[in-house]
Amino acid sequence: MSFDIDVAIVGAGVAGLSAAAALRAAGRRPVLFEALPRIGGRAFTDHPAALGGAPFDLGASWLHAADRNPLAPLARAAGIGLRATEGSWTRRIMLDGWAATEAELAAYQATSERFERLARARAAAGPDASVAEAVAGLRGDPWLPLVETWQATLIAAADPREFSVQDWHLNELTGGNLAVAGGVGAMVARVLAPPPATLHLATPVRHVAWDRPGGGVAITTGAGTHSAGACIVTVSTGVLRAGGIGFTPALPEAARAALDGLPMGLLSKLGIAAGPTPLLPAGTSLYHRVADAGERAMFFSRPLGQDHIVSFFGGRAAWALAAAGPAATEAFARAELARLLGGAPPLGPAVLSDWGTNPAFLGAYAYARPGCMAARAAMAAPIGAGLVIAGEAWCMDGLAGTVGGAFLSGARAAGLVQRKDGFTGA
Ligand SMILES: Cc1cc2nc3c(=O)[nH]c(=O)nc-3n(C[C@H](O)[C@H](O)[C@H](O)COP(=O)(O)OP(=O)(O)OC[C@H]3O[C@@H](n4cnc5c(N)ncnc54)[C@H](O)[C@@H]3O)c2cc1C
């Protein structure tokens, strides 16, 4: 049977671009359909006027797990500068108006280590539990909510009460972080750029029919319907859970159950122009000790020597602010910074991410609910004769939620298309 398209790929984020590159290398002819007028998805370096045109990663900004991140060698081969971030940040934690002393920072470090020991032990021994339940023995330690903020709310974008400790353990980002010259999004757009003739931008896919009598898949966009020998769908679990793409027949029950187990967390970023005032030394991370995980924002001053401050907030607080709107979010971050610095600093305009409300994403990245870690493996095989689901959420290599994980998942999806009998294409 012949098809209009050999392999259709829905989404030109890292997973879709990685799948396309692997298929091209194998001699296949993939075609990408992307809803937005740009590639990269959640890896996106903007150059906003608010920050004087400086590169600003609205999504991914580091290559985590440097020693096993598949994008690091690609960036190096393209001559893109990578810099290890270990030791390059100075931490300043504020407690009721004063900066934590060395002894207090040592107490924080000790709580972090106890947290890791307890959480790893529970993850290994099972049964699965929430991160909060796994470390319940530390409740009452004044540093625990801040450790949970880092380990769950910021790194996994998830509330520790709703996040699987086994998933936390599987995806611990050990091995160092790399900063990327010019931004992660710009690097992705450069090293994974597909041939322009194989890319349809601003072309959202509305429908995928995957169980056709003659085999293959039919995908429908605003411009019409195309048949394809196979289809790799790489949109976020947020888009799939919200029904952003219709499927005929509906996705199998096991796939829908897996989606229930992998909701999207939210991490939001606000970049604020710092101007010439040396407000904080470059490379300072500044935040409050918190009473409840994720309730406050965290700030990085002048990353990569740039003239701006980046504010991060995650989990429930980030969702509440996304619902309240950009003005409320910006006001919150500026008020937080003023509290941290003991007075409103003279700052310039700001730029805010919209991952929680943008219908192309509906969150930052997926986390597993307690008991649902196995959901990440639910898409390890094709659905029907021609449909494969990929993306950061479905990475089983310990890098779920990251650009490295999205890359590996896309490559795996390409491998499934290559191996599957009948995925012969046009
Ligand atoms: C604030 C933030 C900070 C982060 N920090 C880091 C970090 O420092 N390091 C790291 O490794 N990772 C980080 N991540 C996570 C990382 O960005 C993602 O895991 C990764 O980029 C996801 O890639 P993906 O290809 O799976 O999905 P996506 O990037 O979401 O790609 C899917 C694509 O599908 C498109 N799409 C959606 N609907 C349709 C449709 N109907 N038809 C066609 N196309 C559609 C979308 O526009 C998108 O381009 C961060 C993410 C966020 C949001």
Side-chain angles (χ1 to χ4, degrees):
M1 175 149 190
S2 80
F3 302 100
D4 306 338
I5 295 171
D6 179 13
V7 184
I9 299 178
V10 183
V14 173
L17 295 170
S18 157
L23 286 165
R24 284 196 304 276
R28 303 295 294 261
R29 296 178 307 286
V31 175
L32 290 138
F33 294 88
E34 166 56 50
L36 299 182
R38 61 168 181 82
I39 63 170
R42 285 169 269 168
F44 175 41
T45 308
D46 200 2
H47 294 83
L51 304 185
F56 181 68
D57 275 316
L58 280 159
S61 45
W62 291 283
L63 294 184
H64 300 301
D67 53 353
R68 59 197 161 99
N69 193 310
L71 284 160
L74 289 181
R76 285 195 189 96
I80 296 170
L82 301 179
R83 200 172 73 207
T85 59
E86 273 60 45
S88 65
W89 292 98
T90 306
R91 189 168 53 190
R92 192 185 297 180
I93 304 177
M94 301 302 289
L95 300 129
D96 303 323
W98 70 86
T101 61
E102 285 303 315
E104 286 162 335
L105 290 176
Y108 169 57
Q109 186 58 32
T111 304
S112 292
E113 286 162 18
R114 273 186 227 118
F115 171 101
E116 286 178 4
R117 273 199 302 278
L118 271 182
R120 285 181 190 142
R122 177 60 187 254
D128 197 10
S130 71
V131 166
E133 194 185 333
V135 300
L138 297 179
R139 210 55 64 201
D141 180 328
W143 290 104
L144 179 62
L146 184 58
V147 175
E148 289 179 314
T149 297
W150 273 102
Q151 295 280 353
T153 319
L154 291 173
I155 295 176
D159 188 290
R161 290 159 285 213
E162 293 159 10
F163 173 33
S164 151
V165 73
Q166 290 185 332
D167 197 52
W168 168 84
H169 184 40
L170 177 69
N171 296 296
E172 273 190 79
L173 296 173
T174 54
N177 299 311
L178 297 169
V180 180
V184 169
M187 178 272 287
V188 163
R190 186 166 142 203
V191 303
L192 293 178
T198 67
L199 174 65
H200 297 276
L201 292 174
T203 310
V205 170
R206 294 176 179 164
H207 194 266
V208 175
W210 55 270
D211 203 10
R212 303 196 334 144
V217 174
I219 63 162
T220 302
T221 71
T225 297
H226 310 268
S227 64
C231 177
I232 301 175
V233 173
T234 69
V235 303
S236 72
T237 64
V239 172
L240 290 174
R241 286 161 59 97
I245 296 178
F247 291 92
T248 304
L251 290 176
E253 176 50 35
R256 283 182 279 145
L259 282 169
D260 277 347
L262 294 173
M264 295 293 275
L266 185 57
L267 181 72
S268 298
K269 283 168 87 169
L270 181 87
I272 315 177
T277 320
L279 191 65
L280 276 173
T284 306
S285 65
L286 178 67
Y287 39 97
H288 293 276
R289 183 163 74 179
V290 292
D292 193 18
E295 67 180 2
R296 309 291 281 271
M298 188 273 279
F299 297 86
F300 273 173
S301 166
R302 300 170 194 269
L304 292 168
Q306 310 272 9
D307 244 0
H308 55 251
I309 293 176
V310 190
S311 169
F312 290 80
F313 21 93
R316 284 179 192 199
W319 284 114
L321 287 166
T329 305
E330 189 177 331
F332 166 80
R334 287 183 190 273
E336 282 281 281
L337 193 54
R339 282 184 62 186
L340 282 161
L341 295 172
L347 293 169
V351 58
L352 175 66
S353 64
D354 69 350
W355 306 110
T357 51
N358 188 325
F361 304 100
L362 298 177
Y365 31 90
Y367 63 92
R369 293 188 204 280
C372 297
M373 192 191 78
R376 295 210 188 268
M379 305 301 184
I383 296 173
L387 176 62
V388 175
I389 309 275
E392 53 83 11
W394 312 106
C395 171
M396 297 167 285
D397 307 272
L399 288 174
T402 71
V403 289
F407 183 92
L408 292 173
S409 173
R412 176 192 59 81
L416 287 176
V417 167
Q418 282 293 86
R419 282 197 296 278
K420 177 85 178 137
D421 290 342
F423 277 28
T424 47

